[in-house]
Amino acid sequence: MTAGHRTAPTALGALYPFLYDGAPAPDPTADLVASTEAKLRDTARLRADVLTEQAAALRRCAATLAAALHRGARLYAFGNGGSATDAQACADLFADPPVPGPSRPATALGGDGAVLSALANDVGVEAVFARQLAALARPGDIAVGFSTSGNSPNLVAAFRQARRIGMVTVGFAGGDGGALARERLDHLFVVRSPSVHRVQEAQTTACHVLWELTTAGAAGSGPEHRG
């Protein structure tokens, strides 16, 4: 028996054939690379689908938001978990744009831990966004909610409160739209995928496009910001 070719013990040979028959060891990164490439293709497809199929809806929503912001509206964004970070990013896009341009009044309702924990403890998790809208928002303001399933009870409650106030309502959901698809939202963008990660990636793209279209529509309008 040579160093390059050894007889495998029966049990070990079945588990680690490359140690005994001279076969090359498997590449541990091959499956990871293949999986990553598949996910990237799926992400690109979903983003293209959303922007193609919902292009007209995005333009209509952007026109509505541009007009509302011109009248002095404030944007309130909200979501849970990873969607809370998407809501924060959405608010940041409008309040602190990455390129030179007008700053629009925008707030993420998940940003204040003290308010969230107080409402969750004293009232209930379902009220953490609705109660903030009731206290802060005015008719004509904008409510933007993010959910990967569309079934978050506190988003449903928030949008119902937003309608009572007279706000513009904009939802981002995944799957078949869930409960949000049954609500009377002014604008709803659904990423039709069962994957939470792919949904959030496509929602991020759609939100950026919506911001760009809104900014273009409001360019030079000189909005009257509320103090």
Side-chain angles (χ1 to χ4, degrees), residues 44-145:
R45 178 187 60 79
L46 280 170
R47 285 172 166 166
D49 287 349
V50 170
L51 299 183
T52 299
E53 296 170 3
Q54 304 189 47
L58 284 165
R59 287 194 293 269
R60 287 193 298 270
C61 183
T64 300
L65 298 192
L69 292 168
H70 178 55
R71 292 191 295 268
R74 187 177 297 272
L75 184 148
Y76 296 94
F78 44 89
N80 299 289
S83 294
T85 64
D86 292 336
Q88 183 69 63
C90 175
D92 289 346
L93 273 175
F94 284 89
D96 186 17
V99 295
S103 173
R104 309 291 177 178
T107 301
L109 297 182
D112 192 327
V115 170
L116 286 178
S117 60
L119 288 171
N121 183 66
D122 299 341
V123 184
V125 174
E126 289 190 15
V128 294
F129 303 131
R131 282 297 185 95
Q132 291 186 74
L133 291 180
L136 301 172
R138 304 177 188 177
D141 281 345
I142 303 162
V144 183

Side-chain angles (χ1 to χ4, degrees), residues 176-191:
D176 62 358
L180 293 186
R182 297 186 289 275
E183 294 297 311
R184 299 188 303 276
L185 301 188
D186 297 315
H187 308 274
L188 177 63
F189 303 100
V190 179
V191 180

